[in-house]
């Protein structure tokens, strides 16, 4: 899970440590095969400045798309993030991110011990929006668990791990998101 959790308002900030080199972790964020491996979703990507990406399929009802604003191989990627949800008839459901996409910055630094310190900043959510909490949980699960396992385990072990995780993944995400949304008194 994340070592540091400084999320405030409409900005998610998370720091993770992964036992892999910064170049390898960067590759896992910019290579189609790797992305489909740890995000377990369809992915299209053109990892260069002004290049586009798309995660998911319209036929599944949910697609995230965006454009790369900055890429420094092995060090940093910055991209826009637009949430696209579709109704049962395949029609796009309008939301605030179509007018104002959020922005994701991911930094890759050599960790003090070994491996890579990954810092994720996802900014631009409306204050207290449900998408803020679901994305905060999503990043914790995707980077803090899935990517970490993907890069630290042998492929056969990761496949076995994911086979156990997949049936409960959505429930786990939902439960964690609901917990974050509960008012604190």
């Amino acid at each position: 899970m994340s070592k540091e959790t400084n999320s405030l308002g409409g900005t998610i900030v998370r720091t993770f440590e992964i036992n892999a080199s910064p170049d390898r972790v960067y590759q896992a964020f910019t290579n189609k095969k790797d992305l489909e491996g740890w995000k377990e979703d369809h992915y299209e990507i053109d990892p260069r400045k002004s290049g586009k990406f798309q995660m998911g399929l319209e036929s599944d009802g949910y697609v995230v798309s965006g454009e790369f604003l900055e890429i420094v191989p092995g060090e940093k990627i910055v991209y826009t993030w637009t949430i696209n949800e579709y109704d049962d008839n395949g029609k796009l459901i309008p939301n605030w991110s179509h007018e104002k996409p959020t922005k994701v910055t991911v930094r890759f630094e050599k960790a003090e011990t070994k491996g890579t310190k990954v810092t994720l900043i996802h900014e631009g959510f409306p204050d207290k929006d449900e998408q803020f909490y679901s994305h905060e949980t999503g990043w914790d699960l995707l980077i803090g668990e899935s990517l970490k396992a993907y890069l630290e385990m042998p492929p056969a072990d990761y496949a076995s791990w994911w086979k156990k995780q997949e049936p409960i993944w959505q429930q786990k995400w939902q439960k964690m998101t609901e917990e974050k949304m509960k008012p604190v008194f």
Side-chain angles (χ1 to χ4, degrees), residues 8 14 17 22 27 33 37 42 56-57 85 87 91 94 96 107 113 115 121 129-130 132 135 162 181:
L8 294 171
R14 291 291 193 259
E17 285 198 18
Q27 178 184 332
K33 182 179 178 203
H42 176 79
L57 296 168
E85 294 181 279
D87 66 19
K91 184 178 177 192
W96 55 265
R107 289 190 178 92
T113 53
I121 302 168
D129 186 82
E130 183 177 336
F132 172 86
H135 279 75
W162 179 248
M181 292 176 60

Side-chain angles (χ1 to χ4, degrees), residues 92-123:
L92 182 64
I93 301 168
N95 70 61
W96 55 265
S97 79
H98 295 143
E99 297 293 319
K100 189 175 180 189
T102 57
K103 182 172 86 170
V104 177
T105 301
V106 187
R107 289 190 178 92
F108 312 95
E109 303 170 74
K110 189 166 177 52
E112 287 182 25
T113 53
K114 66 177 185 174
T116 301
K117 175 182 171 187
V118 178
T119 303
L120 174 118
I121 302 168
H122 192 162
E123 57 192 305

Side-chain angles (χ1 to χ4, degrees), residues 37-52:
W38 67 274
K39 287 194 174 181
E40 295 294 334
D41 210 338
H42 176 79
Y43 222 97
E44 294 299 327
I45 186 167
D46 180 11
R48 60 181 175 83
K49 188 172 180 170
S50 300
K52 310 270 192 239

Side-chain angles (χ1 to χ4, degrees), residues 71-90:
I71 291 194
V72 181
E75 294 179 25
K76 176 170 76 167
I77 55 176
V78 181
Y79 51 95
T80 62
W81 183 275
T82 302
I83 304 158
N84 302 290
E85 294 181 279
Y86 300 87
D87 66 19
D88 292 337
N89 297 319

